Amino acid sequence: MKSGLLTCAAMIALTTGVAHADGHVDLPVAPGEGTFDWDSYNAFADATDLAGEELTIFGPWLAGEAESFSELVAYFNAATGAQANYVGSDSLEQQIVIDAEAGSAPDITVFPQPGLARTMAQRGFLTPLPEGTEDWVRENFAAGQSWVDLGTYANAEGENEYYGFFFNVNVKSLVWYVPENFEIYGYEVPQTMEELKALMDQMVADGETPFCIGLGSGGATGWPATDWVEDLMLRTQPPEVYDQWVSNEMPFNDPAVVAAIEEFGAFALNPDYIAGEPGALAATDFRDSPKGLFSVPPQCMMHRQASFIPAYFPEGTVLGQDADFFYFPAYAEKDLGTPVLGAGTLFSITNDSTASDEFIEFLKTPFAHEYMMSKDGFLTPHLGADPVNYANDAQRGQGEILTSATTFRFDGSDLMPGGVGAGSFWTGMVDYTGGKPAQQVADEIQASWDSLK
């Protein structure tokens, strides 16, 4: 373990599995048991010998997520004879820069979003992933080119290379609803955006309110609206235009972006479509907004939010029974496929070694994905991983949305400079729902971006 890693008090180091005097380790699930792809695990083990080699993996996961990942690391150790160890930190973004500049970076770093990895690559702190990994991802992940693009950055010489292997992602393009409410009115889950809008009109005709929306989040108020706009950009423009937008190759006040903001307004600024008044959306905490689904009578029929939102559902809510979700649909008429907005963590090599390369190879096995699929919250685009291994039906359904995607794009505000993505974009959305025209909002956000250049 590197000396720099030991200095951070917020870090935890976990090892899993009980080692015995003869060297064997008790693993959480004995090899060969359960529904995991043990053939892929055994093939990797037969081909890889790292006896005595050490490997440090530095990531953002703490508590339960760290324990789950450390279990997977234990399987890597058992397969190879290596002594790999996971270290988690709640200040990874600061610590990894300090360690890299000091020449004491861990072997592998798990970045919580691509922006910092891109910066580290440009500074020469990352090593390209093993040869062939780019092609492997393109062929074995749903929407494979999207994941290659998200992990490809310019190196210190300005040449693009593949640095980021995504492992553990989440989905934001979800609409939540109460199945019992849909059954009462005979509503069907819409398959296209056109059907969703027709359903909204039917709900209004029935005297019901389609959506609950809350933009309040303390100092981050406005961020839920940025997710709406990003999802609608992916449904109104090709992914290449989305990429130009988040990198500012295309200005924020381009007509395409203004149109996406106004499309969000078609949902959020119509008093018939939302619970409450548009001007009050910023005063409604995003954590409270889904509660209208469960009130009697319901305040709303639907709520668009990412996969984490069930944490704020009423206690005892059973997913799949009391609440369910469907894919935030695409426009049939625009023929842009089935894009998915989300986020995730990516593995990069920050200290090149044979063990580092082999751990990336380990992450390609269906076993590695399937083992983590059996844990809460893990989703994967790996087409070779069997969905039967997901921990529950909700994860399985979200996983199917992910593997059915034709395009995946990362949360755009996370890719923008902090002053925009966690600043003027948030406040601009509050201004928009407060009555400011979309064009004026977009002009002001672009001006803020220009001021950072």
Side-chain angles (χ1 to χ4, degrees):
M1 186 181 295
K2 304 297 185 288
S3 58
L5 292 175
L6 289 171
T7 63
C8 184
M11 293 178 176
I12 61 170
L14 291 172
T15 56
T16 302
V18 178
H20 295 264
D22 62 1
H24 85 273
V25 176
D26 288 337
L27 298 168
V29 178
E33 294 186 358
T35 55
F36 304 133
D37 187 337
W38 290 108
D39 287 345
S40 68
Y41 178 78
N42 291 332
F44 174 79
D46 291 343
T48 313
D49 183 0
L50 299 172
E53 295 197 32
E54 297 184 354
L55 181 76
T56 300
I57 305 165
F58 183 37
W61 302 310
L62 302 171
E65 287 182 308
E67 293 175 4
S68 296
F69 181 68
S70 292
E71 290 179 8
L72 183 66
V73 172
Y75 283 97
F76 174 78
N77 289 342
T80 64
Q83 297 177 32
N85 188 39
Y86 172 72
V87 180
S89 170
D90 60 1
S91 57
L92 179 143
E93 290 88 343
Q94 296 78 33
Q95 190 63 41
I96 186 57
V97 174
I98 294 171
D99 289 343
E101 290 176 340
S104 58
D107 302 299
I108 289 177
T109 298
V110 187
F111 291 96
Q113 47 101 337
L116 180 56
R118 179 180 292 107
T119 301
M120 296 279 287
Q122 291 169 342
R123 297 187 64 186
F125 291 144
L126 302 187
T127 299
L129 297 179
E131 186 177 354
T133 301
E134 178 180 337
D135 289 340
W136 184 92
V137 169
R138 191 178 286 111
E139 295 170 4
N140 289 278
F141 277 9
Q145 187 60 48
S146 296
W147 300 103
V148 170
D149 293 343
L150 283 167
T152 300
Y153 318 119
N155 60 20
E157 289 73 41
E159 299 169 347
N160 282 338
E161 299 206 71
Y162 186 52
Y163 292 104
F165 186 97
F166 276 84
F167 187 80
N168 191 14
V169 301
N170 60 59
V171 173
K172 291 175 176 279
S173 304
L174 302 175
V175 178
W176 298 86
Y177 69 104
V178 173
E180 182 179 0
N181 293 340
F182 268 43
E183 290 172 8
I184 290 173
Y185 288 94
Y187 299 148
E188 299 288 336
V189 169
Q191 302 301 310
T192 67
M193 185 63 78
E194 290 85 349
E195 290 183 6
L196 174 59
K197 291 190 172 183
L199 176 61
M200 293 163 60
D201 289 335
Q202 182 61 53
M203 290 172 174
V204 173
D206 291 338
E208 300 301 323
T209 301
F211 276 97
C212 284
I213 299 175
L215 306 184
S217 184
T221 292
W223 74 259
T226 68
D227 282 1
W228 272 89
V229 173
E230 290 157 7
D231 243 343
L232 290 167
M233 273 293 287
L234 287 172
R235 283 155 181 74
T236 55
Q237 300 294 328
E240 297 79 14
V241 175
Y242 181 93
D243 296 338
Q244 293 168 4
W245 169 49
V246 301
S247 66
N248 209 212
E249 291 178 55
M250 182 181 75
F252 204 108
N253 53 354
D254 186 274
V257 184
V258 174
I261 296 173
E262 291 176 335
E263 187 65 8
F264 166 58
F267 291 86
L269 300 187
N270 186 335
D272 290 338
Y273 287 165
I274 60 169
E277 295 296 323
L281 295 181
T284 301
D285 193 284
F286 81 93
R287 287 155 286 213
D288 293 332
S289 57
K291 294 177 182 175
L293 292 170
F294 304 97
S295 62
V296 181
Q299 294 179 354
C300 59
M301 289 286 168
M302 298 180 287
H303 186 272
R304 186 219 155 277
Q305 189 50 275
S307 50
F308 71 84
I309 200 62
Y312 302 103
F313 288 173
E315 186 175 354
T317 299
V318 178
L319 296 184
Q321 177 178 315
D322 304 322
D324 210 340
F325 60 86
F326 59 84
Y327 169 68
F328 187 53
Y331 294 89
E333 66 174 11
K334 295 186 180 298
D335 195 24
L336 291 172
T338 51
V340 170
L341 180 72
T345 49
L346 62 151
F347 285 63
S348 291
I349 296 174
T350 39
N351 190 14
D352 192 23
S353 69
T354 300
S356 298
D357 288 353
E358 291 301 337
F359 194 83
I360 298 298
E361 295 299 323
F362 179 60
L363 293 183
K364 297 177 184 177
T365 64
F367 167 80
H369 295 255
E370 291 173 349
Y371 188 80
M372 294 304 295
M373 288 159 71
S374 71
K375 307 296 182 181
D376 285 340
F378 183 93
L379 298 177
T380 178
H382 195 319
L383 293 169
D386 191 339
V388 73
N389 290 291
Y390 274 117
N392 52 60
D393 288 341
Q395 273 179 252
R396 195 165 10 262
Q398 292 166 21
E400 290 173 358
I401 289 174
L402 197 56
T403 52
S404 299
T406 56
T407 299
F408 181 92
R409 282 298 182 270
F410 207 89
D411 185 314
S413 58
D414 284 347
L415 302 178
M416 297 174 184
V420 177
S424 58
F425 195 3
W426 291 352
T427 57
M429 292 300 95
V430 174
D431 292 342
Y432 178 62
T433 56
K436 189 176 286 188
Q439 184 67 60
Q440 183 180 349
V441 167
D443 289 344
E444 292 174 357
I445 296 173
Q446 180 57 45
S448 76
W449 205 324
D450 291 339
S451 71
L452 298 172
K453 296 178 179 176

